[in-house]
Amino acid sequence: MGFHTKPTTFVGHVKIKVENLQRSLTFYRDVLGFDILEQTVTTAKLTSDGKTSILSLEQPENVIPKKGRTTGLYHFAILLPKRSDLANIVIHLVNKGIKFGSSDHLVSEALYLNDPDGNGIEIYIDRDPSEWGWKGTEVAMTVDPLDFKNLLTTVIPGTTWNGMPAGTVMGHIHLHVSELNKTEEFYVNGLGFDVVNRYGAQALFISTGKYHHHIGLNTWNGIGAPAPAKNSVGLESFTLILPNEEARKQIIRNLRQIGANVMEENNTFVTHDPSGNRVELAI
């Protein structure tokens, strides 16, 4: 479908902070089924295909627990290749005694859970884009009950959850922000995303290439919510994959034109949205 490949701009990687790296690895490896691509004493890069990392964990020095009513991570969303994969992980999570929520969003079917530190995770599959309902530039999304009975009919006899399948990608990220006006300017005028859904005055969903959303942005933690402490559990950064170097140069110009700061760190260009969320610009 091309929603997570070039020339679409998409979220390719998310890095989160955790209190105890070994505890988190037990969850992400043994429960969710990621493999470890690289590991140090305080960091780990996780993979589903043995080659590319879509999620990293970091245990900061003097780490403190996640605090509520701040900006930062609402959830990151892991997109599975097939509906039967979602059905298999439902059975797996139930068997493991892991609590989770669920929703049918019309464009997708999703599970919701937290890691041991309270970092939000969505695991989902997309419906075929031909089934998405568009009204002009806005896509219809809702929060309906997930039809587990129908979902479980897709389980292939003799198969079980065997870990994150190859072809799993970082589908999107959803962020708490402190307000929406400057935030929309940053992501639309600066980074080049399109608004594809407005949830009243409280949330925006944005994408490129007519995806239902690569990024969600909400003020549900309160207008003016502060950024968390640097050593707090939560989001460290997320990486946008841009089509090419020329596109990156144009985005950097656009960001600077609206007053956003862009820095180069270790051959990576980095910016921060108006709420302090760190964005890395890769190609």
Side-chain angles (χ1 to χ4, degrees):
M1 290 184 284
F3 296 123
H4 300 88
T5 57
K6 296 177 182 182
T8 304
T9 296
F10 60 95
V11 178
H13 183 268
V14 172
K15 187 173 185 179
I16 60 170
K17 294 174 284 187
V18 299
E19 277 195 78
N20 183 304
L21 181 63
Q22 290 308 314
R23 178 181 69 177
S24 294
L25 284 175
T26 298
F27 174 80
Y28 282 100
R29 181 187 57 214
D30 299 345
V31 176
L32 294 191
F34 281 100
D35 291 323
I36 299 171
L37 187 63
E38 295 177 23
Q39 186 179 352
T40 69
V41 175
T42 58
T43 66
K45 293 183 178 179
L46 306 181
T47 182
S48 63
D49 64 3
K51 297 177 288 188
T52 305
S53 175
I54 61 172
L55 177 67
S56 292
L57 312 177
E58 176 188 12
Q59 181 182 317
E61 190 174 350
N62 301 318
V63 62
I64 61 174
K66 182 181 178 72
K67 289 199 165 90
R69 311 298 288 177
T70 60
T71 61
L73 185 69
Y74 180 49
H75 62 246
F76 61 85
I78 304 298
L79 176 58
L80 302 177
K82 301 192 299 290
R83 196 166 184 239
S84 58
D85 296 324
L86 190 68
N88 280 335
I89 199 171
V90 164
I91 296 168
H92 172 72
L93 293 174
V94 170
N95 289 339
K96 285 278 190 180
I98 304 296
K99 293 182 179 179
F100 60 90
S102 62
S103 282
D104 184 329
H105 296 302
L106 299 181
V107 294
S108 62
E109 295 173 286
L111 310 179
Y112 294 93
L113 64 160
N114 291 326
D115 76 1
D117 291 291
N119 290 309
I121 304 167
E122 176 181 344
I123 301 172
Y124 76 111
I125 58 102
D126 280 332
R127 284 202 167 89
D128 190 281
S130 65
E131 299 178 41
W132 302 353
W134 289 86
K135 187 175 182 180
T137 59
E138 293 214 5
V139 65
M141 294 192 289
T142 189
V143 182
D144 290 338
L146 185 61
D147 186 345
F148 283 100
K149 185 176 180 180
N150 181 272
L151 175 64
L152 293 175
T153 64
T154 66
V155 173
I156 300 169
T159 65
T160 59
W161 180 252
N162 230 354
M164 290 287 168
T168 298
V169 297
M170 185 62 66
H172 64 266
I173 193 168
H174 195 151
L175 303 170
H176 290 297
V177 295
S178 59
E179 58 79 55
L180 288 180
N181 289 333
K182 289 281 187 186
T183 299
E184 182 173 345
E185 180 186 47
F186 175 86
Y187 283 97
V188 174
N189 297 346
L191 290 175
F193 284 91
D194 300 314
V195 176
V196 291
N197 187 278
R198 295 180 188 272
Y199 190 80
Q202 298 179 326
L204 289 175
F205 296 89
I206 61 176
S207 75
T208 64
K210 293 206 77 175
Y211 191 48
H212 55 72
H213 67 294
H214 289 109
I215 301 176
L217 305 155
N218 75 69
T219 56
W220 297 331
N221 273 351
I223 303 292
K230 191 168 178 57
N231 60 332
S232 166
V233 160
L235 180 68
E236 196 281 330
S237 64
F238 67 94
T239 301
L240 289 180
I241 308 299
L242 309 177
N244 51 51
E245 184 59 46
E246 185 50 48
R248 180 160 67 178
K249 287 178 181 178
Q250 184 59 55
I251 282 172
I252 290 170
R253 287 193 293 268
N254 293 344
L255 287 167
R256 288 174 171 159
Q257 191 170 10
I258 63 171
N261 191 24
V262 184
M263 303 159 288
E264 188 173 2
E265 300 177 3
N266 303 318
N267 299 317
T268 300
F269 287 93
V270 176
T271 187
H272 293 80
D273 75 10
S275 299
N277 296 304
R278 178 182 167 100
V279 187
E280 299 188 358
L281 307 175
I283 54 175

